Amino acid sequence: MNRNNTCVLVLAAGKGTRMNSSTPKPLQKILETPALDFILDVVQGLETFVVSSEEIENYLLSSNKKVSIIKQDNDGYGTGYAVLSSLKYIKSFKRVLIIQADDPLIEKDDINLLMNDDKNKVLYLNYEERYKNCSELVVKKGLLKEIKGKSCDKSKFINIGRYILNIDDLIDAGKEYLKSYKEGEYSLPDIINIMIKRGRKVFAEKSISSFLNMNTRKELYEVNRLMQERINLRHISNGVLLSSLESIIIGKDVEIASDTKIIGPTQIYGKTTIGKKCIINSSYIENSMIEEETSILFSVINNAIINDRVIIGPFAHLRPQSYIGAKSVIGNFVEIKNANIGNACKARHLSYLGDVDIGTGSNIGCGSITANYDGKNKHHTGIGSNCFIGCNSTLVAPIVIEDNCFIAAGSTITEDVKSESLAIGRARQVNKEHRAKDYLKKE
């Protein structure tokens, strides 16, 4: 079939009052991603129209989604009203694929099933207890005969709101529906019933992907759980070892190569990529790139790039714009921000490295920091290759320490250090005999 003749209509203007939230249903988070994004992903490549409220419109514009926005007015409500008020925008197409914006579990297999021929279709699932509030489909020999009202009671077929319909048939039935409409919610199922009564064939096929209403917080929790399981199983089938389906949460856009192990309560979100043979243990990672054979333990990584065979943690914090070179070690309670750390560097414990470039093979001693902020502005520190920064050193930016330098422990360095120099920036020790006894004596 010609996909150019088919458009997508996403119904996203509902208020979702049962969610008890100021956030509209389509923007409720599934694995830290708005539910609407999952739907837009599965229809990617098709001309898509989103019937939206003002808040949904603002989100679509701010995130640069490639969709056409149909702003719904306040003259009516319900799925029927959303579709009828959209017909003037989509009438140049032959068919319309209709999806509810609170249906993030729909998958591309269902899209292909709906679009594999030129028939009017509705998808169904067999009755389960969790579908008890869905409407009932009366189906005979694969043809839909009627969509009944809510509260389906153990019907063989339940309506999950996934349709593809001929637009001319919709326009014709819509005109007839408006003649008999009196008040209340405009109903798309009622319009489809009129199509059937007017002799239009609507076929019913079983949905391939799972479905769950997302009307309440409890249902939102369950959708999160089902999506989490779906994504985790996909990574397992691609060769990733997960220690648990329950305690590991992976976002929809995360890419993980084979033979990587994810252990313990770990969360990975955003546009994160992880290479082969890594070990990620009990950490939080977001929008980062991690190369092969890297180990991360009990750490937080956000907008960072980590090269091959790096060791991170435990309890390290890599903030945005952190770059860690190959074979480096970032250890206990080390915080890094806007930093370029060269290959084979070591900062094993209790350091802060912000707004800094560090060359290859340098060692940052315990408790050393770059003092990058003067109360008004941030300043840069440069540390060359093969430098040794002694424990508890403070490097007051802006400052440059050239290659092969040695900074004595406990130093405060405020001036540039030339290559191959030893820098000592501390007061001479003075011992006052017998002073401690009187000072420590209790009053």
Side-chain angles (χ1 to χ4, degrees), residues 9-286:
L9 188 64
V10 181
L11 308 184
K15 295 180 179 179
T17 53
R18 284 177 287 175
M19 193 68 73
N20 292 323
S21 171
S22 60
T23 301
K25 274 199 298 183
L27 299 185
Q28 295 290 336
K29 296 291 183 68
I30 309 296
L31 307 182
E32 295 303 304
T33 298
L36 180 59
D37 283 15
F38 288 88
I39 294 160
L40 297 181
D41 277 357
V42 299
V43 297
Q44 195 170 17
L46 295 169
E47 188 73 27
T48 301
F49 296 80
V50 180
V51 183
S52 63
S53 62
E54 183 175 356
E55 193 167 354
I56 301 296
E57 180 183 18
N58 291 338
Y59 169 74
L60 293 171
L61 292 173
S62 65
S63 54
N64 296 315
K65 300 295 184 184
K66 295 181 179 180
V67 300
S68 298
I69 298 170
I70 300 174
K71 182 73 176 296
Q72 181 162 304
D73 57 40
N74 296 319
D75 293 337
Y77 62 98
T79 55
Y81 184 80
V83 171
L84 291 177
S85 60
S86 302
L87 289 175
K88 60 184 177 182
Y89 301 99
I90 64 174
K91 62 183 180 181
S92 61
F93 294 87
K94 181 180 178 181
R95 305 203 306 155
V96 57
L97 177 68
I98 301 173
I99 304 174
Q100 320 298 316
D102 58 354
D103 185 13
L105 294 175
I106 190 170
E107 296 184 84
K108 286 186 178 179
D109 287 343
D110 265 358
I111 304 302
N112 293 332
L113 178 62
L114 286 164
M115 297 185 64
N116 63 6
D117 51 41
D118 292 323
K119 298 174 181 177
N120 292 317
K121 286 183 187 177
V122 56
L123 297 187
Y124 67 83
L125 283 171
N126 296 111
Y127 178 82
E128 293 180 24
E129 181 64 22
R130 60 180 176 171
Y131 302 145
K132 62 184 179 181
N133 291 322
C134 294
S135 56
E136 176 185 349
L137 299 180
V138 179
V139 179
K140 292 184 179 179
K141 297 182 179 180
L143 282 175
L144 178 65
K145 297 299 182 181
E146 183 186 1
I147 303 178
K148 289 189 175 181
K150 296 280 185 180
S151 300
C152 160
D153 183 18
K154 297 188 179 180
S155 165
K156 184 177 180 181
F157 306 113
I158 62 104
N159 180 24
I160 55 177
R162 299 170 184 172
Y163 313 99
I164 191 164
L165 301 168
N166 184 292
I167 291 178
D168 287 340
D169 291 346
L170 257 181
I171 292 173
D172 181 56
K175 291 177 180 177
E176 185 68 23
Y177 174 74
L178 291 174
K179 291 178 182 178
S180 58
Y181 171 79
K182 294 180 180 179
E183 60 181 2
E185 183 173 315
Y186 290 74
S187 169
L188 178 57
D190 286 348
I191 297 172
I192 295 173
N193 285 337
I194 291 175
M195 286 175 55
I196 295 169
K197 289 178 181 178
R198 294 173 73 85
R200 304 297 189 267
K201 288 185 177 180
V202 179
F203 291 82
E205 294 196 37
K206 187 173 183 179
S207 177
I208 297 171
S209 52
S210 55
F211 168 81
L212 184 64
N213 277 323
M214 205 179 76
N215 293 317
T216 66
R217 288 291 190 185
K218 182 179 179 181
E219 290 169 346
L220 178 62
Y221 165 81
E222 184 65 13
V223 170
N224 265 281
R225 187 191 66 78
L226 291 170
M227 189 65 75
Q228 175 185 341
E229 182 179 82
R230 177 189 292 179
I231 291 174
N232 285 354
L233 289 174
R234 186 186 75 210
H235 286 293
I236 288 172
S237 68
N238 290 336
V240 179
L241 174 62
L242 303 184
S243 64
S244 168
L245 290 178
E246 290 76 30
S247 64
I248 295 170
I249 303 173
I250 302 173
K252 74 178 184 67
D253 296 320
V254 174
E255 298 178 9
I256 307 175
S258 61
D259 295 321
T260 282
K261 298 179 182 179
I262 313 293
I263 304 167
T266 293
Q267 298 180 52
I268 309 173
Y269 296 118
K271 302 288 185 179
T272 295
T273 61
I274 301 175
K276 294 182 178 180
K277 298 182 179 179
C278 293
I279 300 176
I280 313 296
N281 191 340
S282 306
S283 296
Y284 180 96
I285 301 171
E286 185 175 4

Side-chain angles (χ1 to χ4, degrees), residues 289-355:
M289 184 175 75
I290 300 164
E291 300 289 354
E292 298 181 1
E293 299 183 50
T294 284
S295 174
I296 299 174
L297 173 62
F298 294 114
S299 295
V300 175
I301 315 293
N302 188 358
N303 283 279
I305 297 174
I306 303 172
N307 270 261
D308 297 342
R309 289 165 285 173
V310 172
I311 298 173
I312 304 289
F315 309 113
H317 185 185
L318 272 60
R319 291 166 58 193
Q321 285 76 58
S322 295
Y323 175 92
I324 312 299
K327 300 182 181 179
S328 290
V329 179
I330 307 299
N332 309 324
F333 300 102
V334 175
E335 181 179 356
I336 295 178
K337 188 268 301 184
N338 190 29
N340 188 340
I341 311 297
N343 296 339
C345 288
K346 294 180 176 64
R348 288 192 178 274
H349 25 232
L350 299 165
S351 293
Y352 170 72
L353 302 172
D355 300 296

